[in-house]
Amino acid sequence: MRKGERLRWGRWVVLALSILLGIYLASPLIALHDIASAVEARDARALTDRIDFPALRRSFTKQIVEEYFELTGAKPPLRALGKRFAVSVADPVVARLMTVRVLLDLLGKGDAGESAKVSIERAPFTSGALKDLWQVWLDSDYLGRNFYVHLPPNKSREEQFRVNLRLTSWRWRVVALELPADLREHLARELVKLTKDDRNPDASQPPGERDKTKLQ
């Protein structure tokens, strides 16, 4: 192959790699826009297509359980038993979060139900949250098949959600959503209340009702 031909082939290779890199860099931003559009339109089907539900459920469980142990001061059990215990403890709260309706509210309004909410200005997928794509890109990280971004971009780290998209079957999907500290704490406190009620089911009854129950 002549030198001129080698140079032309080299330019084509560089151009092709540049195009592929550009697609890789832009594609998760396009996915974010698709998710925001689905949330704004309350399109449950489109949102479902962009979420890896088992992975997202694990993400919520891990966060809420860790916050639960932090609040209660209890030591988490070890190994496989500890894992099963953590899942069972957090299930009442996590199961509620995993409905598409609640996810639409959480992503678009910052509302996780049962009074667990942040202001709508802090919701991760409002139209305003993705208005400045340049700032969104600056707040993002690429790591192989994973893309991480803090939303909304104009808030402090303590107020933001951290979204993790993963490229699976040539499609970016939400696999984790790190909640802001105040929302995470609220959900963990809800879990603390549930576990206390389970341990002492009569505690929520008036004294007279508790006495009647004991006599039966």
Side-chain angles (χ1 to χ4, degrees), residues 42-63:
R42 305 287 296 180
D43 188 337
R45 186 173 183 177
L47 181 64
T48 298
D49 193 44
R50 285 290 186 179
I51 292 179
D52 182 332
F53 281 88
L56 183 60
R57 189 184 189 104
R58 289 192 294 271
S59 168
F60 284 148
T61 300
K62 181 176 183 292
Q63 293 175 71

Side-chain angles (χ1 to χ4, degrees), residues 24 27-28 141-148 165-167 172:
Y24 170 71
S27 57
D141 291 296
Y142 295 80
L143 187 60
R145 294 191 302 121
N146 287 289
F147 173 82
Y148 303 90
L165 303 183
R166 182 172 298 151
L167 187 62
W172 291 99

Side-chain angles (χ1 to χ4, degrees), residues 88 140 150:
S88 64
S140 67
H150 290 86

Side-chain angles (χ1 to χ4, degrees), residues 9 16 25 27 33 44 51 56 61 66 81 99 104 110 127 135 145-147 153 168 171 181 194-195 198 207:
W9 274 107
L25 294 176
S27 57
H33 180 270
I51 292 179
L56 183 60
T61 300
E66 286 178 353
L81 283 176
T99 66
L104 285 167
S127 55
Q135 188 59 51
R145 294 191 302 121
N146 287 289
F147 173 82
T168 55
R171 194 164 185 80
L194 285 173
T195 54
D198 287 342

